[in-house]
Amino acid sequence: MKYYRDILQIALPAMAENFLNFLMGTVDSYLVAHLGLIAISGVAIANNIISIFQAIFIALGTAASAILANSYSRKSQEKLAVQVVEVLKLSILLGLFLGIISIFAGKDLLLFLGAEESVALAGGVYLAWVGGGILFLALSLSLGAILRSLGKSRLPMYVSLLSNVLNLLFSSIAVFLFQAGIVGVALGTLFSRLIACLILWQQLPLKLRRPSWKVDMELLALALPAAGERLMMRAGDVVVVTLIVSMGTAVVAGNAIGETLTQFNYMPGMGIATALVILVAQARGRGDSEQVRILVKSAYWLSLVWMALISGLVFLFGTFLAGLYTQDSQALAAASLVMFYAFCGTPATAGTLMNTALWQGVGNARLPFYATTLGMWLVRVGLASLLTMALGWGLSGVWLATILDNMFRWVFLSRAFAWREKKG
């Protein structure tokens, strides 16, 4: 019972923060849906690009959590201050680089993915504004990870709540009062993230030092494979989207609506995975391998129960929820299909999330990278291509391949850790 309590103490605020982050995307999608299928399709494809950027910063935050939690458990304040500066430095550099790509190559990226000219134009506008300001999201995610690792697990949640309220307020005013369309939705997101970033920065409990030109190799050794794992995941998703694009604008819109709603399924798992990384890193700092095993088992069952409950509710009320976005029958059918497969794949998704967090917590992000690379490109992309293009299974083929990919990675990572423990 103690381990469940320890996990939930960190996981619940992280779950709430994930919920609020996903809610921001849901609000944006809902507001854009009023502008038509072209707009929602363009923004959906643009969000696949943004999700790649976001995944990189989530990975950086995960690496930061593992390193900082280890130092925090050893009460090494001097080392903590240096590591925090290194995390923020890397976040700023990556945020600026990816922002420039979004501004100058946004529309071309969407055309490359197979979007129609009108869809690419709509999505390119959104990508230029939201992706161009990705620095604010980068810093918010990194600052949140830093504060959680230093024992302030609730603060990022409160800031995310404020950010969502501001996003809803700014975006609604821009769309309904000033008729600003996609640009208005994007600006609402941009300004709300900027404010969140400034608040979190002010709450850092450590006195920051002047950054150096040196690179923290310990951080990079964990961050690069973690970022690579997320990048492979999102890059594979983008390739899969090109398969969905060939099915027509209505299916793309329906898939986007289904993915928007099923994002809530993963919030408990992601929150518990965040807690697991921190707690495993702390246990590793104390040299307590038995606690690591108990933590992983407890985390899996917690995530499975929570994720099954939420995915079941989303599937049960899916038709009604999807109807809030569109009345197109083909789009609604596609959204319902996505929610069905997301519910069926819950056990494998929970297993993949927890075992990935386990390996990152013990300081080995390379193995999840290898597992994701193999699973994504051989199982998900390869099998989805076969099922959709050769066998004509359509969207069902895409999502069946997704479930099988998660099952492969779950088994791969759990067996590898069992072998590692047996080897000693």
Side-chain angles (χ1 to χ4, degrees), residues 257-340:
I257 292 168
E259 286 192 322
T260 298
L261 294 172
T262 56
Q263 282 180 357
F264 293 100
N265 301 0
Y266 312 124
M267 290 182 303
M270 293 173 65
I272 293 170
T274 298
L276 186 60
V277 169
I278 294 172
L279 292 173
V280 166
Q282 290 176 348
R284 173 173 160 250
R286 296 189 297 267
D288 192 343
S289 58
E290 178 62 26
Q291 188 178 26
V292 169
R293 287 191 289 270
I294 297 174
L295 282 168
V296 174
K297 184 177 179 180
S298 302
Y300 175 74
W301 286 110
L302 275 175
S303 63
L304 179 61
V305 170
W306 281 72
M307 289 175 66
L309 176 62
I310 294 178
S311 61
L313 289 173
V314 169
F315 175 61
L316 184 63
F317 296 101
T319 302
F320 168 75
L321 295 171
L324 298 175
Y325 291 85
T326 182
Q327 292 300 314
D328 184 274
S329 59
Q330 191 177 3
L332 288 173
S336 297
L337 197 67
V338 171
M339 289 180 276
F340 169 73

Side-chain angles (χ1 to χ4, degrees), residues 42-43 45-47 49-50 53 99 101-103 105-107 109-110 122-133 182 186:
V43 170
I45 299 173
N47 271 324
I49 302 294
I50 293 173
F53 300 163
I101 292 176
S102 299
I103 292 171
K107 180 184 173 183
L109 284 172
L110 300 187
V125 171
Y126 184 84
L127 184 57
W129 284 102
V130 177
I182 292 176

Side-chain angles (χ1 to χ4, degrees), residues 224-229 232 365-374:
L224 287 179
E229 188 265 335
M232 283 296 170
R366 293 188 305 276
L367 198 65
F369 169 71
Y370 300 146
T372 297
T373 301
L374 291 172

Side-chain angles (χ1 to χ4, degrees), residues 28-58:
D28 283 0
S29 297
Y30 179 74
L31 292 173
V32 169
H34 289 277
L35 305 175
L37 287 181
I38 289 177
I40 194 172
S41 296
V43 170
I45 299 173
N47 271 324
N48 276 280
I49 302 294
I50 293 173
S51 69
I52 294 177
F53 300 163
Q54 183 174 357
I56 293 172
F57 296 116
I58 290 174

